[in-house]
Amino acid sequence: MNQAARRIGRTLALVLPVVLVLSGTLAVTRVPWAAPTAESQVLTASSDNASTARAGRAPHEVLRDRLLTELQEKNPGVALTHLQEATNGRPSLARYCMDIARDLGRAAVAKYHSARKAQSYSRPVCDTSFAAGVAESH
């Protein structure tokens, strides 16, 4: 009886980790990384052709691109508000805040073809770097 229990114990010791790993892998094969949309992005654990082009981008570069797009689609005020929220929520981005705000200022002048119109969206985000970007582009 004692040997039968040992044999069962050994079998479970070998099989149980394999079962747990496989069930965990199957549980995360579909992970939605974005809000559900028509073009919802889904990451599969077994995907061999996953895109690595965006994986190497720094968070501040991703934030800058997102805010520049938002500035074009909406207005600089919205982008500046989201810049402030991003730096408040993630303090590691604060060191890039001035550069991003300056880029937003330049982009606002390019969008409106007017420093006065771009300047009307100015806010004291990142030591008025937005205004400095507007002035540089003028």
Side-chain angles (χ1 to χ4, degrees):
M1 179 76 173
N2 198 9
Q3 284 203 352
R6 281 189 181 158
R7 188 173 303 154
I8 291 172
R10 284 186 201 150
T11 303
L12 282 176
L14 292 173
V15 173
L16 191 59
V18 173
V19 170
L20 290 175
V21 167
L22 287 176
S23 64
T25 302
L26 294 175
V28 296
T29 56
R30 292 182 55 90
V31 179
W33 291 104
T37 62
E39 298 176 9
S40 182
Q41 296 176 351
V42 177
L43 176 68
T44 58
S46 63
S47 179
D48 292 334
N49 59 353
S51 173
T52 57
R54 290 189 158 227
R57 298 186 63 212
H60 69 277
E61 293 170 344
V62 173
L63 176 63
R64 174 183 285 122
D65 291 348
R66 182 173 57 86
L67 293 174
L68 288 170
T69 300
E70 194 169 57
L71 182 143
Q72 295 301 321
E73 293 174 354
K74 296 178 183 173
N75 67 57
V78 173
L80 286 170
T81 298
H82 289 151
L83 173 60
Q84 186 67 51
E85 290 171 353
T87 55
N88 288 344
R90 198 166 173 189
S92 63
L93 294 172
R95 63 187 275 203
Y96 304 103
C97 186
M98 291 173 59
D99 292 333
I100 294 172
R102 192 173 299 115
D103 291 344
L104 291 173
R106 291 182 195 126
V109 172
K111 177 179 180 178
Y112 296 116
H113 304 291
S114 166
R116 176 172 278 169
K117 173 75 172 169
Q119 191 66 32
S120 70
Y121 292 98
S122 185
R123 300 203 180 139
V125 176
C126 307
D127 295 330
T128 65
S129 293
F130 177 82
V134 170
E136 289 173 4
S137 294
H138 185 256

